[in-house]
Every structure is written in structure tokens, then in C-alpha cells.
Amino acid sequence: MHKVAIVILNWNGAKMLRRFLPSVLTGSKGEGVEIYVADNASTDESCEVVGKEFPTVHLIRLDQNYGFAEGYNKALECVEAEYVMLLNSDVEVSEDWLKPLTEYMDAHPEVVACQPKILSWREKNQFEYAGAAGGFIDKYGYPFCRGRIFEEVEEDHGQYDSVIPVFWATGAALMIRLDVYRKVGGLDGRFFAHMEEIDLCWRLHSRGYQIVCLPESIVYHVGGATLKKENPRKTFLNFRNNLLMLYKNLPQGELGSVMRIRKILDYMAACFFLLKGDRANFHAVLQARKEYTAIRSQFEADREKNLQKSVCKDVTGRYKFSILWQAKVRGKRTYAELIKR
């Protein structure tokens, strides 16, 4: 069994593989480290690129495009390792980036998942939107990070270089113990993409596990390589999956009140898009709520199972305030300002 399996999920990303896979190969050298590319039935030359240009990389050919969540579930059925690193195809890694992660995990068996510090590939002195220096959520399920609150992305001055427990680790570079990943059911394939790693991390927390960000390890993420920001499909998946995540994981005493407030906030978001003249995203939010209502019953068993297995009511990194109120009304622009409230 390998020590670490780096698994890169790919779909029609031949150019990304050529650009970023070399850094993964040179920066991830070490005993017991193996690199895999799991291909989601690409129609470009991705598989040929891996086979001809990167012969030491293991290629897992999936028979169809399963999306991000189920794609990783299918890929990890083909892998045996103590730790797996789920790594986006548009990530450039630094030298020996795995060492701080594996050493910390080895020394802290109570920690089952972690992430490095995520900086922007385009602006290497700035945090990257998807993950930054560790993720959290507010009372109503809105995610934010050390280094990023809504659209406010900070420059990295070492202000978040401490190792801290976080609520969620980004799926762009998520290291997790493979046995625990399988034990809790992995990513929810029905999400397809977006919010699936936060849902997984919530399940881990509720079962008593810990997740941390280790800023000593640094990677650089392009971000938005598959679906650009404010793409209606991305808006739909984010809103729908966020509601499903809340339904699956919220304690019974909070479910009704939180979902009532979320309904109001979602329709406010839809109106905001409409006022901007963005009818596509307006309809995406409405469609997300409609589909959530239509398929919610399919997740009842998951909710019951999660509540039964929960050993922790107040999970680390789920704040009781509204990040919308704190950021948009009170003007809290950074995580440091937010925690001084």
C-alpha cells in the first residue's frame, strides 16, 4: 500500500495536464508517493497526453463523465494508500509540499483531513478564492475562508500562517485518510460538483474527526477552470447543493428556522441578479430551489444516518452568526476583522 496517492480528476483538460502535471511530478518526489490521473471520459487528447508524455503517472479511465464528486469516488476504488490527495488539474505545487501534510497527519491521528495554503496562480501574493487558508461556514450555510470573504480576496502577508482547525478543506487540494473517506461514504455523487467537499467535511466533524489547514505547505490554484464565476450552471449547483448539504447535516432543532431564513435569502439573491439584468442566474437560483424541493426526499435516509452517527453537536468552524450581515452590512472585509467582532 502506498503512503500517499495523488489523484487528479480530469475532463478534457489536456492543456492543464501539460501545464501543471510537471510541477506535481517534480514537487512530490518521495518514497511511497504515487500519482494518478482519473479521466472522466474526456473527448480531447487527455489520455494520450498522460500515456505518452507522463509514463510514470497511473491513468484511470472512467467510462463516463461522473462529475467531480462521483468521479473521485470511482477513481478511489482503484487506489490503495494511507492518504489520498484530491488535487485539481489546475494546481501548481511547491517543492516538497506533501512533507508538512503527511508529517502532521502522522503525528496527529485525530486529524483525518487537511489542506495546504491555496494561493492564486495568476497573482501569487494573493489567496485563491476556493480554499485560501482554510474554510468555515456561517449559521445559514454560507462558506468563507481565512483570506477570502465573499469577493474580498486578501493578499498573503503571512497573517494566516498558523495551523488551525477548520470546518472544511478545499476540494482543490484535499488530503484525507482513505479508510475514513470510505467509512463515511466519500463525496456525495448526487451533488455532481460544488459543495461536495463541505458536505463531506461536515460529516467528518459530526462523527468527531478533525480537519486542519497547514499553511507551511503551499500550492497555486488557477480556479474557475471548468465553470467560470457566475456561470448559471455553477450558480445552480452551488445553491441547490448548499441546500441539500444543510438538509443532510443540520441538527433537528435548527433545520426549520435555518431553512426558512435561507428561503428568504435565496429569493433576495435571485432578485439581486434580476436587478443587474442577469436573467440567466436569476433563473438558476429559482431552478435550484425548485429542484431542491423536488429531490429532498431522496436525502431523508442520509439525514437520518448522519444524525444517528453524530457525536458532536457544535462542530468546529461553523459560526453562529450571519456572514452576510457581518460582511455586507457591518463591513467586515477580512477573516481577522470578523473574528474580532
Side-chain angles (χ1 to χ4, degrees):
M1 184 172 70
H2 306 314
K3 181 69 172 179
V4 181
I6 302 172
V7 184
I8 300 169
L9 192 67
N10 173 76
W11 182 69
N12 289 343
K15 291 182 179 179
M16 288 290 180
L17 293 172
R18 283 195 172 109
R19 176 63 185 85
F20 294 105
L21 196 48
S23 82
V24 179
L25 287 166
T26 58
S28 310
K29 295 177 181 178
E31 186 176 352
V33 178
E34 296 290 332
I35 301 171
Y36 296 77
V37 169
D39 187 76
N40 250 332
S42 293
T43 56
D44 69 354
E45 58 179 342
S46 292
C47 292
E48 290 75 14
V49 166
V50 175
K52 293 179 181 179
E53 301 179 26
F54 304 101
T56 62
V57 174
H58 305 282
L59 178 63
I60 301 171
R61 292 175 180 259
L62 302 178
D63 61 344
Q64 65 185 67
N65 181 8
Y66 289 98
F68 186 92
E70 190 63 14
Y72 266 121
N73 289 339
K74 295 289 186 182
L76 296 191
E77 292 176 1
C78 307
V79 171
E80 290 299 331
E82 182 177 359
Y83 307 125
V84 289
M85 168 58 75
L86 311 186
L87 187 69
N88 276 16
S89 60
D90 59 344
V91 171
E92 179 182 279
V93 306
S94 57
E95 191 70 22
D96 290 329
W97 69 295
L98 288 176
K99 185 177 179 182
L101 305 176
T102 55
E103 288 183 349
Y104 192 93
M105 296 277 278
D106 285 345
H108 297 83
E110 73 281 3
V111 174
V112 298
C114 64
Q115 71 158 76
K117 177 163 66 175
I118 316 288
L119 299 179
S120 169
W121 181 72
R122 296 183 178 91
E123 302 288 342
K124 288 186 165 58
N125 65 330
Q126 288 189 343
F127 289 102
E128 209 282 312
Y129 184 93
F136 309 88
I137 64 170
D138 78 344
K139 181 181 179 72
Y140 302 107
Y142 291 92
F144 59 97
C145 304
R146 283 198 306 177
R148 189 270 296 176
I149 301 211
F150 291 115
E151 309 309 316
E152 294 286 335
V153 180
E154 298 179 55
E155 289 190 359
D156 175 30
H157 302 295
Q159 68 270 42
Y160 301 127
D161 277 355
S162 57
V163 177
I164 66 165
V166 296
F167 184 82
W168 57 274
T170 176
L174 169 62
M175 177 175 278
I176 187 169
R177 300 181 192 272
L178 182 55
D179 60 340
V180 178
Y181 181 94
R182 290 169 172 166
K183 182 179 179 181
V184 302
L187 298 169
D188 192 328
R190 294 165 295 183
F191 281 34
F192 191 79
H194 300 293
M195 298 288 167
E196 67 288 317
E197 78 267 48
I198 306 181
D199 172 66
L200 170 61
C201 289
W202 199 334
R203 273 180 279 140
L204 292 171
H205 276 298
S206 68
R207 287 157 172 77
Y209 298 116
Q210 295 183 27
I211 303 166
V212 300
C213 176
L214 300 166
E216 183 181 349
S217 173
I218 301 173
V219 302
Y220 302 92
H221 184 211
V222 174
T226 304
L227 290 176
K228 301 300 181 183
K229 181 185 168 191
E230 291 199 356
N231 177 292
R233 175 64 174 168
K234 185 172 185 176
T235 298
F236 167 79
L237 290 171
N238 271 321
F239 275 80
R240 185 202 65 174
N241 293 348
N242 190 273
L243 292 169
L244 292 171
M245 175 189 72
L246 288 170
Y247 178 71
K248 287 177 62 181
N249 296 286
L250 276 172
Q252 187 61 38
E254 293 187 61
L255 182 63
S257 61
V258 167
M259 297 310 261
R260 283 191 294 272
I261 297 297
R262 267 305 300 268
K263 187 174 184 178
I264 296 170
L265 294 174
D266 287 352
Y267 283 119
M268 288 175 62
C271 290
F272 177 75
F273 282 124
L274 189 60
L275 289 171
K276 291 199 306 179
D278 189 345
R279 297 187 65 86
N281 276 298
F282 166 75
H283 287 295
V285 176
L286 299 185
Q287 185 60 33
R289 289 211 57 91
K290 181 179 179 180
E291 182 156 329
Y292 161 70
T293 302
I295 67 175
R296 180 177 54 202
S297 61
Q298 300 174 22
F299 295 80
E300 288 179 0
D302 300 86
R303 173 170 174 76
E304 183 177 346
K305 182 178 179 180
N306 288 341
L307 293 180
Q308 287 176 348
K309 291 184 174 293
S310 177
V311 298
C312 181
K313 182 178 179 181
D314 294 319
V315 297
T316 300
R318 180 175 175 245
Y319 287 92
K320 298 300 184 181
F321 55 72
S322 165
I323 188 65
L324 276 169
W325 178 264
Q326 293 297 325
K328 301 298 186 181
V329 178
R330 301 195 64 196
K332 306 293 186 181
R333 302 298 185 189
T334 69
Y335 178 81
E337 292 176 356
L338 192 66
I339 61 175
K340 289 179 182 178
R341 55 183 287 278

